[in-house]
Amino acid sequence: MTFEKIEINQADDGAVRLLQVTDPHLFASERTELLGVNTYRSFSAVIDAIAKDQSNFDYVLSTGDLSQDHTEESYRRFADVVSLLNKPCFYLPGNHDQQQHMQRLPEWGLLPQKHLVSELWQVIMLDTQVSGKPHGMLAEAELARLEAALKAHPEKYVLIVMHHHTVPVGCKWLDQHDVKNAQDFFSIIDGYPKVRGVLCGHVHQNFEFQRGKLAVFASPSTCIQFLPLSAAFALDHQQPGWRYIKLCRDGSISTRVRRLPDKSFLPDPKSKGY
């Protein structure tokens, strides 16, 4: 996992404006469905809606599960579609991804760096993948990289980005698949008061939680949605979505979720899991 630092620009008002798209679960074929939703069509519809929206953003963060079938073709489809936004795109692996095939993403225009630094903010992207497992874990090397980045820029505000969630979202079945050593993560960041946000994917729903001064966010998938506060696996009829994030000059984070129109993509109600 490349942890090379890259400088990113901020707007005249000092803010960094980001777009998060997450969990597209693409296949090699454009026709394949996941639980009744054609993931290529839903992802393409989301990117088209973003392109037509009037909201400003300068960088794209894709927070994992780009592929469902682990094929090189699925990653090429992701790169081709997200390129329509004509913005730099950074990415992370999710539990469904095959990192061997993700290695070609830079050839197709995506950026592999995981440490994004502006004048006032730094964005630290962490790999939580445990190969072959649905849950997440931050390896010792990732925790060391995190602390090294925090120590290198103690004057900057911080947004940390990963695939898996670090706090319970209230779905009993889904909270089994969180970051298993989240306490090690919090033990580090609690010593750095300028860490202001943690952003993830994985949970296929809008989730916002305040942990002291730390804002924790998870976002809708660009395909299927999981029903919030469900004990067992259940799908929601909420539509595919995305998140805008504004990292402000004063260290605050402004964010909002947008979705496709109602009934654009409806999952199979008989689905029991995947």
Side-chain angles (χ1 to χ4, degrees):
M1 176 70 68
T2 302
F3 212 71
E4 177 186 352
K5 181 169 68 175
I6 184 172
E7 293 186 3
I8 58 173
N9 297 323
Q10 62 187 37
D12 291 341
D13 62 0
V16 176
R17 291 175 170 83
L18 306 169
L19 165 77
Q20 182 197 17
V21 290
T22 194
D23 296 83
H25 290 270
L26 298 174
F27 295 86
S29 171
E30 296 181 6
R31 298 185 295 275
T32 305
E33 294 184 348
L34 177 65
L35 306 185
V37 171
N38 182 305
T39 61
Y40 176 80
R41 286 184 54 234
S42 65
F43 182 54
S44 297
V46 163
I47 297 301
D48 184 58
I50 293 167
K52 293 177 180 177
D53 198 356
Q54 297 301 309
S55 297
N56 292 327
F57 65 94
D58 296 309
Y59 301 95
V60 180
L61 305 178
S62 180
T63 48
D65 284 357
L66 281 62
S67 173
Q68 177 65 19
D69 65 359
H70 318 131
T71 60
E72 186 173 293
E73 292 83 358
S74 63
Y75 292 109
R76 183 59 191 258
R77 292 195 187 285
F78 176 85
D80 288 346
V81 174
V82 82
S83 71
L84 299 176
L85 295 175
N86 198 30
K87 300 287 185 180
C89 179
F90 302 89
Y91 60 92
L92 284 170
N95 51 290
H96 286 275
D97 285 310
Q98 170 54 258
Q99 294 207 42
Q100 178 182 354
H101 292 152
M102 295 182 83
Q103 291 177 3
R104 296 202 64 188
L105 287 171
E107 296 179 35
W108 303 325
L110 276 71
L111 299 176
Q113 291 88 353
K114 304 294 183 263
H115 188 192
L116 291 48
V117 180
S118 75
E119 180 184 350
L120 301 174
W121 281 85
Q122 59 175 328
V123 179
I124 303 169
M125 302 179 70
L126 298 174
D127 180 0
T128 57
Q129 187 190 70
V130 180
S131 181
K133 302 293 184 181
H135 67 262
M137 181 77 71
L138 284 161
E140 289 186 12
E142 287 298 285
L143 292 172
R145 287 168 176 170
L146 167 64
E147 190 151 28
L150 295 174
K151 286 180 177 178
H153 299 284
E155 78 286 0
K156 297 184 188 293
Y157 300 113
V158 184
L159 174 69
I160 298 171
V161 183
M162 62 186 78
H163 177 68
H164 293 84
H165 55 303
T166 52
V167 300
V169 299
C171 291
K172 185 176 181 180
W173 71 274
L174 188 55
D175 285 333
Q176 301 175 81
H177 307 316
D178 61 355
V179 174
K180 291 305 179 186
N181 60 338
Q183 189 52 54
D184 295 337
F185 168 73
F186 285 118
S187 293
I188 292 173
I189 68 169
D190 285 347
Y192 295 88
K194 289 213 166 183
V195 179
R196 295 302 174 87
V198 177
L199 175 70
C200 73
H202 188 54
V203 303
H204 289 237
Q205 59 191 268
N206 179 27
F207 175 78
E208 301 184 9
F209 177 78
Q210 200 70 29
R211 184 182 181 272
K213 293 184 178 181
L214 180 71
V216 180
F217 307 101
S219 301
S221 165
T222 67
C223 60
I224 59 170
Q225 312 303 310
F226 298 150
L227 184 68
L229 305 178
S230 59
F233 178 88
L235 294 175
D236 197 357
H237 281 195
Q238 289 250 47
Q239 291 300 293
W242 60 96
R243 183 183 290 276
Y244 294 110
I245 303 133
K246 179 182 177 183
L247 307 179
C248 302
R249 175 182 287 276
D250 64 359
S252 63
I253 299 176
S254 174
T255 184
R256 63 191 176 95
V257 164
R258 297 288 300 274
R259 294 183 186 269
L260 295 177
D262 285 349
K263 299 184 180 179
S264 296
F265 294 91
L266 295 176
D268 181 355
K270 298 178 182 178
S271 300
K272 301 298 182 183
Y274 75 105

